[in-house]
């Protein structure tokens, strides 16, 4: 049985080494801006392959140069208590678990997939490091990275990285590129309606940008935009206590 311990030890050592790599990478982002995310690199390869010229757009914008309208709209759309929680919303994750259990019991033939329940920090963890594959092992790694992000970076810094890396259409990443692409304005100049429209796109950004992606997206953007506009003033942008 001793020979069985060797591969187990190797797997454990590899797992620990990977977590150390993630932790060191995150620590660098206290002062350095991420050059790209795993999701961006995958999309760039899908769209451009080996071509030098590519239609991918990205432009980093400092946190204080991003419209508060956009910040509030994104919070309403994606995670309205982002500045209050510690990285996960347990109740939402429980609801997502129940939905997936019901889906499994109903005999669905689709692959195991976790839907809903993800905070902004969890979405950021997935986009920064992980593939788009959905399974419970990937979800477990996502939770570990979420903890590392929350322990290392301030809430404001997490939100800044999220707003500069999230997808806003095919090949469009970050609010700097999105504000120019859709409205030809700086991210600081977005008004309430523009901010709400952009935030409404986040659950299905490719659908918002190009209608051929909308077949599976059960999202009514005008209705979602109205909801965001009605609730923008109730979310807090107060800075999270510094560590």
């Amino acid at each position: 049985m001793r020979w069985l311990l060797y591969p187990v030890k190797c797997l454990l050592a590899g797992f620990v080494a990977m977590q150390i790599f993630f932790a060191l990478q995150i620590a660098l982002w206290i002062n350095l801006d991420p050059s790209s995310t795993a999701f961006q690199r995958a999309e760039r390869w899908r769209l451009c392959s080996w071509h030098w010229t590519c239609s991918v757009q990205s432009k980093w914008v400092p946190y204080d140069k991003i419209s508060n309208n956009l910040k509030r709209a994104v919070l309403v759309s994606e995670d309205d208590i982002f500045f209050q929680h510690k990285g996960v919303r347990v109740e939402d994750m429980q609801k997502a678990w129940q939905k997936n259990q019901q889906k499994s019991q109903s005999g669905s033939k689709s692959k195991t997939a976790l839907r809903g329940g993800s905070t902004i920090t969890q979405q950021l963890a997935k986009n920064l490091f992980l593939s788009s594959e959905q399974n419970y092992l990937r979800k477990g790694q996502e939770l570990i990275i979420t903890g590392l992000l929350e322990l290392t970076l301030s809430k404001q810094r997490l939100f800044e990285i999220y707003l500069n890396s999230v997808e806003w259409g095919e090949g469009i990443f970050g609010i700097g590129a999105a504000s120019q692409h859709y409205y030809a304005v700086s991210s600081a100049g977005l008004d309430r309606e523009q901010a709400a429209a952009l935030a409404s796109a986040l659950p299905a950004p490719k659908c918002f940008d190009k209608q051929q992606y909308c077949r599976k997206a059960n999202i009514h953007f005008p209705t979602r935009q109205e909801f965001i506009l009605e609730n923008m003033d109730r979310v807090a942008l107060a800075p999270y206590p510094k560590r």
Side-chain angles (χ1 to χ4, degrees):
M1 295 295 293
R2 186 175 297 177
W3 63 273
L4 289 174
L5 294 177
Y6 181 74
V8 172
K9 289 180 179 179
C10 288
L11 288 173
L12 181 59
F15 175 79
V16 172
M18 184 178 295
Q19 309 318 307
I20 293 173
F21 168 78
F22 290 151
L24 292 174
Q25 185 72 69
I26 292 168
L28 289 174
W29 293 333
I30 295 175
N31 297 309
L32 298 177
D33 300 329
S35 59
S36 64
T37 69
F39 181 74
Q40 286 177 8
R41 292 189 291 273
E43 283 293 286
R44 179 180 289 273
W45 175 256
R46 182 182 69 83
L47 294 169
C48 309
S49 186
W50 294 104
H51 299 292
W52 288 102
T53 58
C54 186
S55 59
V56 172
Q57 303 174 48
S58 180
K59 179 184 177 182
W60 188 275
V61 180
Y63 187 80
D64 59 357
K65 300 296 184 182
I66 300 174
S67 166
N68 282 342
N69 291 323
L70 189 280
K71 295 171 187 172
R72 293 181 185 278
V74 170
L75 290 175
V76 173
S77 175
E78 300 299 296
D79 187 355
D80 60 343
I81 58 170
F82 169 72
F83 283 94
Q84 284 75 53
H85 65 64
K86 300 294 184 179
V88 297
R89 298 174 67 163
V90 177
E91 183 178 348
D92 289 349
M93 291 186 65
Q94 289 174 338
K95 291 178 180 178
W97 170 268
Q98 292 171 357
K99 287 181 180 179
N100 281 279
Q101 289 298 104
Q102 292 171 0
K103 183 178 179 181
S104 177
Q105 292 172 3
S106 68
S108 172
K109 296 182 180 180
S110 62
K111 295 181 179 180
T112 302
L114 299 181
R115 302 187 313 169
S118 293
T119 64
I120 281 176
T121 314
Q122 287 174 270
Q123 293 178 44
L124 184 59
K126 179 182 68 176
N127 289 341
L128 285 169
F129 293 110
L130 304 175
S131 70
S132 58
E133 182 182 357
Q134 293 182 318
N135 57 56
Y136 290 104
L137 289 176
R138 191 203 61 78
K139 193 70 175 180
Q141 180 63 80
E142 175 190 301
L143 291 175
I144 293 173
I145 296 172
T146 296
L148 292 172
L149 286 168
E150 288 278 342
L151 286 170
T152 308
L153 304 176
S154 69
K155 283 287 189 176
Q156 179 173 303
R157 181 60 169 161
L158 289 172
F159 201 23
E160 178 184 31
I161 295 174
Y162 176 85
L163 293 174
N164 277 286
S165 60
V166 71
E167 184 183 30
W168 251 298
E170 187 169 65
I172 303 168
F173 295 97
I175 189 56
S179 59
Q180 286 291 331
H181 178 81
Y182 293 110
Y183 301 111
V185 299
S186 70
S187 55
L190 291 167
D191 61 29
R192 288 173 64 89
E193 287 72 21
Q194 292 168 340
L198 286 171
S200 71
L202 289 176
K206 288 187 177 68
C207 177
F208 181 77
D209 189 42
K210 295 187 177 182
Q211 291 299 309
Q212 66 262 35
Y213 290 106
C214 290
R215 186 175 299 174
K216 295 182 179 180
N218 186 25
I219 296 175
H220 190 242
F221 291 112
T223 301
R224 186 174 180 83
Q225 182 178 351
E226 290 173 6
F227 173 83
I228 292 170
L229 281 168
E230 291 172 359
N231 289 274
M232 282 171 61
D233 293 329
R234 70 174 177 80
V235 294
L237 287 177
Y240 198 74
K242 294 184 179 179
R243 294 177 176 84

